[in-house]
Amino acid sequence: MVILSLVLLLLSVQWSWAQEDPLLPFSEHLDLEHKVRLKWGFDKIKGTILFELTVNTSGWVGFGFSPKGGMTGADIVIGGVGPKGIYFTDRHAVGKSIPLVDKQQNYKLLSLKESDGKTVMKFQRSIGSCDENDLPITNLPMKLIYAYGQTDEIMYHSTRRGTKQLNLLKYMPRVNLPNSNFFDITMVNFTVPANHTYYHCKIMKAPTFDRKQHIYRIEPVITNIDVMHHLVLYRCPPSVTEPLEVECYTGMDTKCIEAVAVWGVGGGAFEFPEVAGLPIGGNVGDFFYRLEVHYNNPNKSAGRVDNSGLRFYYTSKLRQHDAGVLITGLAVAPGYAIPPKAKSFLTYGLCDTAYIPKVLETPHDLQVFSLMLHTHLAGRKVRVGHFRGGKQIDFLAADENYDFEYQEATNLGKTKTVKLGDKLLVECTYDTEKRSTLTWGAYSTSDEMCLAFLFYYPAMNLGTCVSLPNATTLISKMGAKDTATWLNMMFTKTWNDMSINQYQQTLKRIDQLVWIINSNNNISSNTGLIPDFTVIPSAPCMSDSATKSLALPSGTWRNMMLMKTWNDMSINQYQQTLKRIDQLIWIINSNNNMSSNTGLIPDFTVIPSAPCMSDSATKSLALLSLLLCLAVQWASF
């Protein structure tokens, strides 16, 4: 009997896991009786949102968005399975009467089923509004309304209605599990140095558990918000066996590189999806952890005592997968610089997952569900491109209005699969127009970074997957004979639009050093090239008469151009498209004889200017020269 019960339990768990849909990661009951359940997921890059509404009825069902929570002004869909088959309409309400059918049907029905007294309606729409009767879905909480009938005759719903306010695009569930608890990992009465930038690291043990637990929620515990920049918790390898508290990146602390939690200024709590949790205890092992705290103290205030850190909520009710964090982007190492006076300077960090098997025995695909993007003060935009088979297939994330004061791990809206062999490209855009000196890649707040923290499952023993332009190639391509000459060239160069663009193109076109490091600090060193971003088209407004071919008629294209929301991202995508497609080339002589041909636009390369050397310049370059030599040596192993 016990064995039978166990088998039934395992079957029920497997069945529940099988029901998880990566395209619909979020779920809420809209009513207290749990008769109406909404599941949804979205793709901000393509501008679409997907819904699945399940209602305990065999009659009509309705769902919509309301300005104030009532009928008036609401954007509504109504559907069901009647005697004559499926019906589904996009409507709007002008009062308390039956909602009117929209002239333009902007919701797309994907499936509609009725069985066992339940109706399940799956449909999709654009995140933005498509006509005057549609309400746009925003990053703010919205009032969702629902109603349903007992038959398929659309009429007054009586008490079978309700309203619930949710933030669909920034959804963060608050799970209160009955068998859960929490622990803190924090600094303890640490006196913050009176330095502009200081990284402090504390290596310690987390609480021990006989059985494996899953962390499902992480909250920041901040005592000095005005000097706090970020917190990262790393799991240490088995070789780290003693506690330690020291300034970061000065010795033993550098062994702990597997990130498990991250918080940035402006961020809040982070909740894992229902299918995954951060493992601790049991067979996970009795590891030490390193808490890294970056203090940004521009006023150099003295005597500040800090107890900041992270709070971890855990449960013994295990989830389907262990979750992990992978750091991707541009390696934080000497060897690249951002010139001054640049309005929009681009850097790139490449992660080639084809090399993961070199550092792991049993690698597998990554199911990415959340990201945190990270730069410092000059950062303005961050994009994470996803490439497969030499072609871009998606953006994992894109922040066209990056704000240093608001760094938060955000849900992708759906789980995205990164297959082994795929490449991830992190692109950062910087504005140094008001700076007069070079900005180097390093740890200070006034230096720069270009990173993307990927939250994924199932977890692997991975730390980082990053790249850096090959310093040896860079020095050669820019016409310098050695590191000192190159550094002097960089410091004395006249930086204008032309020289900035030439330098940017050189950094992108030369070979990149690509490193993958596992949790035990085993490293795979490889080379790669930066691919070009292509356009990921946004979905048009959904309708029955939606475009059925990618070859758009000219009138449709003109209408698209006139109706398109033009911002930095769409402008850049359009510009890249114009450049990368084939060009019609005509040569016409004086007698109007014409030759018509096709061609592709080549890329500009750098025409190196002659280097200048001076005694005063070389004296100031000793430290940077040493650092760059170290970077060149790192590239050689």
Side-chain angles (χ1 to χ4, degrees):
M1 184 66 180
V2 174
I3 295 175
L4 177 60
S5 299
L6 181 59
V7 170
L8 290 174
L9 175 62
L10 290 172
L11 287 174
S12 67
V13 169
Q14 290 175 355
W15 182 87
S16 65
W17 285 351
Q19 305 310 303
E20 295 296 340
D21 187 340
L23 300 180
L24 296 165
F26 312 121
S27 175
E28 279 273 356
H29 283 100
L30 302 185
D31 63 327
L32 296 176
E33 295 80 17
H34 289 190
K35 293 181 179 180
V36 181
R37 185 187 187 194
L38 180 70
K39 298 176 71 174
W40 75 97
F42 55 85
D43 189 328
K44 281 191 174 180
I45 303 300
K46 296 180 180 178
T48 59
I49 185 164
L50 176 67
F51 295 101
E52 183 180 272
L53 183 71
T54 302
V55 185
N56 292 1
T57 184
S58 297
W60 63 267
V61 299
F63 169 80
F65 308 91
S66 169
K68 298 182 179 180
M71 286 283 287
T72 304
D75 177 9
I76 298 170
V77 287
I78 294 179
V81 181
K84 297 181 180 180
I86 291 173
Y87 57 93
F88 178 83
T89 48
D90 177 10
R91 298 172 176 247
H92 65 280
V94 294
K96 294 185 177 180
S97 58
I98 296 176
L100 304 177
V101 177
D102 288 6
K103 292 181 180 179
Q104 185 174 322
Q105 295 289 295
N106 294 317
Y107 286 73
K108 182 179 181 180
L109 180 65
L110 301 179
S111 65
L112 216 169
K113 300 176 182 178
E114 181 186 298
S115 64
D116 299 326
K118 290 187 178 182
T119 297
V120 182
M121 185 166 68
K122 192 173 184 179
F123 55 97
Q124 189 176 28
R125 60 160 280 178
S126 298
I127 292 176
S129 60
C130 291
D131 62 39
E132 61 182 9
N133 296 317
D134 290 344
L135 294 180
I137 298 172
T138 69
N139 289 323
L140 300 174
M142 298 185 69
K143 293 178 175 62
L144 311 183
I145 61 174
Y146 68 88
Y148 58 94
Q150 294 176 320
T151 69
D152 288 297
E153 183 182 357
I154 301 173
M155 56 186 297
Y156 182 56
H157 45 64
S158 184
T159 58
R160 296 178 294 274
R161 61 166 298 278
T163 303
K164 188 165 188 174
Q165 183 167 283
L166 290 175
N167 191 331
L168 296 172
L169 301 184
K170 287 193 173 182
Y171 181 70
M172 189 66 69
R174 184 63 166 109
V175 178
N176 291 306
L177 299 178
N179 57 340
S180 69
N181 211 325
F182 69 85
F183 63 87
D184 294 343
I185 294 182
T186 67
M187 295 296 165
V188 178
N189 297 327
F190 173 69
T191 302
V192 181
N195 300 342
H196 187 163
T197 292
Y198 182 80
Y199 282 76
H200 193 70
C201 282
K202 181 179 179 181
I203 295 178
M204 71 202 97
K205 274 192 175 182
T208 56
F209 302 94
D210 293 335
R211 295 174 53 209
K212 177 179 170 181
Q213 311 284 312
H214 263 157
I215 293 167
Y216 64 89
R217 182 179 174 88
I218 303 173
E219 292 180 353
V221 179
I222 309 298
T223 56
N224 291 280
I225 191 64
D226 57 318
V227 296
M228 186 62 58
H229 178 269
H230 74 246
L231 303 163
V232 184
L233 185 70
Y234 299 88
R235 184 181 289 123
C236 300
S239 60
V240 177
T241 58
E242 296 293 334
L244 179 70
E245 195 160 351
V246 67
E247 182 178 358
C248 296
Y249 306 107
T250 57
M252 180 65 72
D253 65 286
T254 57
K255 291 186 177 181
C256 311
I257 63 167
E258 183 186 355
V260 295
V262 59
W263 174 88
V265 59
F270 178 78
E271 193 102 19
F272 287 87
E274 293 180 4
V275 296
L278 193 65
I280 190 168
N283 61 3
V284 178
D286 193 13
F287 292 102
F288 277 80
Y289 291 83
R290 170 169 69 98
L291 178 63
E292 172 188 297
V293 183
H294 177 187
Y295 294 101
N296 181 38
N297 188 6
N299 296 324
K300 299 183 179 179
S301 302
R304 303 288 290 275
V305 177
D306 190 64
N307 292 282
S308 297
L310 296 167
R311 174 165 294 171
F312 298 88
Y313 290 83
Y314 63 92
T315 176
S316 59
K317 185 179 179 181
L318 298 182
R319 299 180 170 193
Q320 183 179 357
H321 300 290
D322 290 344
V325 181
L326 178 64
I327 301 174
T328 64
L330 191 60
V332 184
Y336 75 93
I338 302 168
K341 302 178 183 178
K343 298 177 183 178
S344 181
F345 188 83
L346 302 178
T347 65
Y348 299 91
L350 179 66
C351 169
D352 191 341
T353 65
Y355 299 117
I356 290 179
K358 290 190 174 184
V359 296
L360 293 179
E361 292 183 359
T362 56
H364 49 70
D365 298 344
L366 291 80
Q367 307 297 329
V368 182
F369 59 88
S370 184
L371 281 98
M372 178 175 163
L373 308 175
H374 183 70
T375 77
H376 286 175
L377 293 170
R380 295 296 181 268
K381 305 176 188 179
V382 186
R383 298 194 293 177
V384 183
H386 185 187
F387 295 79
R388 181 175 297 159
K391 296 181 180 180
Q392 185 183 353
I393 62 171
D394 198 2
F395 282 105
L396 287 189
D399 189 341
E400 296 294 313
N401 297 283
Y402 180 83
D403 187 347
F404 172 80
E405 300 295 337
Y406 188 76
Q407 302 183 41
E408 186 173 38
T410 56
N411 290 317
L412 296 185
K414 65 179 183 181
T415 303
K416 299 188 177 184
T417 301
V418 177
K419 293 181 176 293
L420 287 179
D422 290 357
K423 295 180 181 179
L424 301 175
L425 182 63
V426 184
E427 176 197 73
C428 293
T429 303
Y430 302 98
D431 181 356
T432 60
E433 193 171 12
K434 295 182 180 180
R435 298 190 181 189
S436 57
T437 59
L438 294 167
T439 299
W440 291 90
Y443 291 97
S444 172
T445 308
S446 58
D447 296 323
E448 270 307 333
M449 293 184 178
C450 180
L451 298 173
F453 295 82
L454 274 58
F455 295 77
Y456 71 97
Y457 63 79
M460 294 184 282
N461 293 323
L462 279 179
T464 59
C465 183
V466 295
S467 74
L468 193 71
N470 189 324
T472 302
T473 308
L474 178 63
I475 290 170
S476 174
K477 287 290 185 181
M478 293 188 70
K481 62 181 181 180
D482 53 34
T483 301
T485 307
W486 178 81
L487 285 169
N488 182 72
M489 177 188 297
M490 294 292 290
F491 276 108
T492 59
K493 196 173 189 67
T494 300
W495 293 105
N496 52 36
D497 289 346
M498 182 175 180
S499 58
I500 290 170
N501 183 65
Q502 289 176 337
Y503 173 59
Q504 175 179 283
Q505 290 297 320
T506 300
L507 283 175
K508 183 179 180 183
R509 297 304 172 195
I510 63 175
D511 57 309
Q512 312 289 311
L513 304 176
V514 183
W515 297 296
I516 294 182
I517 310 175
N518 69 11
S519 306
N520 296 317
N521 289 290
N522 297 318
I523 184 171
S524 171
S525 182
N526 310 276
T527 60
L529 296 174
I530 300 297
D532 289 317
F533 279 135
T534 55
V535 177
I536 304 297
S538 297
C541 290
M542 302 297 168
S543 69
D544 292 336
S545 58
T547 307
K548 297 180 180 179
S549 170
L550 294 178
L552 297 175
S554 60
T556 307
W557 178 80
R558 281 195 295 268
N559 183 62
M560 177 187 293
M561 295 295 287
L562 292 172
M563 297 290 291
K564 193 172 186 67
T565 299
W566 292 106
N567 51 36
D568 289 342
M569 182 176 180
S570 59
I571 292 170
N572 182 65
Q573 289 177 334
Y574 177 55
Q575 175 181 284
Q576 291 297 321
T577 301
L578 286 176
K579 181 180 179 183
R580 299 303 174 194
I581 62 176
D582 56 311
Q583 311 290 311
L584 301 176
I585 303 172
W586 298 293
I587 297 179
I588 308 174
N589 68 11
S590 307
N591 297 317
N592 288 300
N593 297 318
M594 182 173 70
S595 170
S596 180
N597 309 278
T598 60
L600 296 175
I601 301 296
D603 289 316
F604 281 122
T605 55
V606 176
I607 306 299
S609 55
C612 297
M613 291 295 291
S614 65
D615 292 338
S616 60
T618 55
K619 290 178 181 178
S620 65
L621 302 177
L623 179 58
L624 282 172
S625 178
L626 175 61
L627 291 173
L628 197 64
C629 285
L630 290 173
V632 172
Q633 291 175 4
W634 189 10
S636 65
F637 81 84

